Amino acid sequence: MSAKKINLAVFDGDSICEALRDNRRGWAARVAEHFGSEYKNYSVSGGTITAEIYTDSGSPRHWVCRSIDKIHEENPTLDCLILEGGSNDADLLGIGSRRFGELDPHDYSGSYDDTTFTGAMETLFYKAINYYPAAKLGFIIAQKMSCPTDKDGKYFMRRHYFNRAIEVCRKWGVPCLNLWDESPLNPSLLCYFDPSLDKDGNAAAGKAYCDGQHLTTTGYDIISNRIISFVDSL
């Protein structure tokens, strides 16, 4: 057990943080167990950092940049806030979209267009810092997903959006754990993912990925120690 006990840890993001296919409930439960914390996970599969992105049926997605208001309403104080996302934004908005947004390194006004990815990231950090000035705050970039040779280009679009996320983290001084570049997990490696198997087959075989994107319980076991170390360093 770490000496730095965390009373309440809150998480928000997309399916990677929600961890539906992991019977141990992903990072959130493992971090909470390590630090002896109560925890709440607001993550929703298909969620985006950017606001005003909808499903094919027209329903609103889970918008992390606006979910922060609900988190603050329900938790006026907390000890640790870990945020994650960006892959769905990349898939749905794409490279070259006006909704990628521009980053002004000198603008700390809090007045950003949260219907752009960049503006949504800035809105999220502006609010998180002002809501919880004394809390541990961090952003996680997910592990590699898809493959460099994938035909729809998701690998490169996600890399583009994650690079901007890193820039925004630097601007706001928010620590960022870049699992894309700083973890061994890679769906191109057969030891982690077998494309000849279905989701259940990969999980049963002890692979880290069930589908080249989402992690199995084995994958979360591999990656969680890095996340625990990251949280401990905040």
Side-chain angles (χ1 to χ4, degrees), residues 26 122 172 210 222 228:
E122 295 225 71
W172 288 94
C210 60
I222 291 171
I228 288 169

Side-chain angles (χ1 to χ4, degrees), residues 10 17 22 41 43 47 60 63 101 125 127 162 166-167 170 176 183 194-195 198 218 232:
V10 173
C17 190
D22 172 31
N41 192 347
S43 304
W63 302 324
F125 290 161
K127 289 184 176 182
F162 290 152
I166 291 169
E167 289 183 290
R170 286 174 180 159
C176 177
S183 79
D194 186 343
D198 63 13
T218 298
D232 198 32

Side-chain angles (χ1 to χ4, degrees), residues 24-95:
R24 291 185 60 195
R25 307 309 297 165
W27 311 328
R30 288 168 172 80
V31 168
E33 180 181 353
H34 181 83
F35 290 100
S37 310
E38 177 188 356
Y39 80 96
K40 298 180 181 180
N41 192 347
Y42 286 79
S43 304
V44 177
S45 180
T48 57
I49 300 290
T50 312
E52 305 298 337
I53 300 180
Y54 298 83
T55 65
D56 291 341
S57 65
S59 300
R61 289 178 179 268
H62 175 72
W63 302 324
V64 178
C65 71
R66 294 185 184 174
S67 176
I68 187 67
D69 295 320
K70 178 182 178 181
I71 290 173
H72 184 245
E73 180 181 347
E74 296 180 358
N75 310 277
T77 62
L78 52 76
D79 303 288
C80 179
L81 177 63
I82 302 298
L83 304 164
E84 176 271 337
S87 61
N88 291 315
D89 303 73
D91 294 350
L92 294 164
L93 298 179
I95 295 176

